[in-house]
Amino acid sequence: MNEHLQQYWRDMKINNLTEFWSRYGYSPSKPWTDLPSNKSKYAKIRRGKVQMEMQCDACLKWRKIPFSTKNFDYKFTDDWTCNLNWDPARNMCSKPEQVVVVATAHLTKPTPAENRRSGLVRISFAE
């Protein structure tokens, strides 16, 4: 798992984990189990990075909901339909379903020297 996590960080070009998590409101001085800051600037960044998808109750098609700061506090109803989508390209049941593309990668093991140069933290788990 450690190697896969490090590969993910390389693929995402995450070089400094403390800086990365600080951008989302997590504090390096608090335990990792603490919740992030509730300040609106951090909440907006977190919400903007998570892809929202809804399934229409009428046609059962999946729709990606684009992030918009003007709709930041929007509460989705339990009976959501395509016409509630604010994306005009996908706000009718007659429009095609959006294909979800899942990124794939290949695990490549770096040498110990590459690990030291990258600055990635090596995680070890107790057995």
Side-chain angles (χ1 to χ4, degrees):
M1 187 67 169
N2 179 32
E3 292 166 348
H4 289 276
L5 184 57
Q6 288 188 19
Q7 179 69 45
Y8 173 78
W9 291 336
R10 280 192 299 278
D11 292 347
M12 297 290 111
K13 299 187 178 14
I14 298 170
N15 296 319
N16 185 318
L17 291 174
T18 303
E19 284 179 21
F20 174 80
W21 287 113
S22 293
R23 267 184 281 167
Y24 297 99
Y26 291 89
S27 173
S29 62
K30 293 183 180 179
W32 67 271
T33 53
D34 283 6
L35 294 175
S37 170
N38 282 332
K39 290 183 180 176
S40 65
K41 74 175 189 175
Y42 296 122
K44 286 180 182 178
I45 290 171
R46 288 192 304 269
R47 176 110 26 113
K49 292 292 183 179
V50 176
Q51 178 69 51
M52 173 74 75
E53 294 182 14
M54 296 293 290
Q55 187 175 32
C56 175
D57 285 340
C59 67
L60 301 179
K61 293 178 183 173
W62 286 94
R63 303 292 187 202
K64 293 179 186 175
I65 309 297
F67 175 75
S68 171
T69 54
K70 67 180 178 182
N71 298 315
F72 180 69
D73 292 324
Y74 180 80
K75 302 291 184 215
F76 291 94
T77 62
D78 288 338
D79 54 346
W80 189 88
T81 55
C82 290
N83 65 328
L84 297 173
N85 192 348
W86 47 80
D87 180 3
R90 304 286 185 211
N91 63 0
M92 294 184 342
C93 290
S94 60
K95 306 235 175 151
E97 185 172 36
Q98 293 165 275
V99 177
V100 177
V101 178
V102 178
T104 59
H106 299 284
L107 178 63
T108 57
K109 289 187 174 185
T111 65
E114 289 171 326
N115 273 338
R116 284 192 298 276
R117 279 196 305 273
S118 72
L120 290 176
V121 178
R122 184 138 187 95
I123 298 173
S124 58
F125 297 94
E127 303 207 15

